[in-house]
């Protein structure tokens, strides 16, 4: 598979960083906008895939609210990003995702460790996730 250029890799890294900060900070709409309008988030941690902007926004808000209800901060930590060029406007991205939780005044714990595979496309000159498949390491 051909290698993407360094600009594309940097843009993807920024996309993933902004996405993590958005969901962890309660900016649900901003998180959902990192996906295409018909984007899919499919994780075995949840009963059904979330599809489309409305469902993605609601999902991100529930994630943030559940952390607030538990009186803890949750963080998405993405590492080992591997970007493969499918075409000029299409990528496959693989990475590892750790989710941590820190109770107020408590010790940080690892909630889960996962692998992520994304189908990423260019929309209006910006990279967006069209389909995310999450695999849990404990499965």
């Amino acid at each position: 598979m051909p290698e993407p250029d360094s600009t594309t890799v940097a843009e993807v890294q920024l996309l993933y960083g902004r996405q993590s900060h958005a969901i962890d900070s309660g900016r649900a709409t901003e998180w959902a906008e990192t996906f295409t309008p018909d984007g899919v988030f499919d994780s075995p941690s949840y009963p059904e895939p979330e599809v489309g902007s409305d469902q993605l926004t609601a999902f991100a808000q529930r994630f943030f609210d559940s952390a607030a209800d538990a009186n803890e901060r949750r963080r998405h930590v993405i590492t080992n990003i591997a970007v493969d060029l499918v075409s000029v406007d299409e990528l496959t991205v693989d990475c590892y995702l750790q989710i941590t939780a820190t109770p107020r005044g408590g010790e940080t714990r690892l909630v889960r460790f996962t692998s992520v595979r994304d189908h990423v496309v260019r929309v209006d000159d910006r990279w967006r996730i069209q389909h995310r498949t999450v695999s849990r390491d404990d499965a």
Side-chain angles (χ1 to χ4, degrees):
M1 206 172 269
E3 291 289 319
D5 62 34
S6 59
T7 300
T8 297
V9 172
E11 289 171 348
V12 168
Q13 290 176 333
L14 287 171
L15 169 67
Y16 282 57
R18 288 188 181 114
Q19 184 184 59
S20 294
H21 284 279
I23 195 168
D24 295 341
S25 300
R27 299 189 315 268
T29 300
E30 186 178 323
W31 182 83
E33 288 172 350
T34 64
F35 287 83
T36 60
D38 62 345
V40 176
F41 175 86
D42 187 5
S43 171
S45 297
Y46 304 98
E48 297 293 327
E50 303 292 343
V51 181
S53 296
D54 291 345
Q55 286 186 11
L56 292 166
T57 300
F59 168 80
Q61 191 61 56
R62 285 192 308 273
F63 179 88
F64 181 78
D65 291 347
S66 71
D69 291 346
N71 199 31
E72 63 187 16
R73 293 264 181 158
R74 295 189 186 143
R75 300 285 188 227
H76 288 72
V77 182
I78 294 178
T79 60
N80 299 45
I81 297 173
V83 182
D84 290 308
L85 189 66
V86 176
S87 72
V88 69
D89 291 324
E90 189 176 2
L91 308 168
T92 299
V93 179
D94 292 293
C95 61
Y96 296 138
L97 167 62
Q98 299 172 64
I99 300 175
T100 64
T102 307
R104 304 278 181 210
E107 295 292 320
T108 301
R109 73 181 188 286
L110 179 64
V111 175
R112 61 185 156 269
F113 196 99
T114 66
S115 296
V116 173
R117 173 159 264 228
D118 286 342
H119 182 89
V120 180
V121 296
R122 192 184 308 269
V123 176
D124 297 329
D125 207 34
R126 299 186 76 168
W127 293 108
R128 296 289 178 252
I129 298 162
Q130 188 171 55
H131 194 283
R132 170 167 287 172
T133 304
V134 178
S135 301
R136 290 176 56 126
D137 278 7
D138 63 350

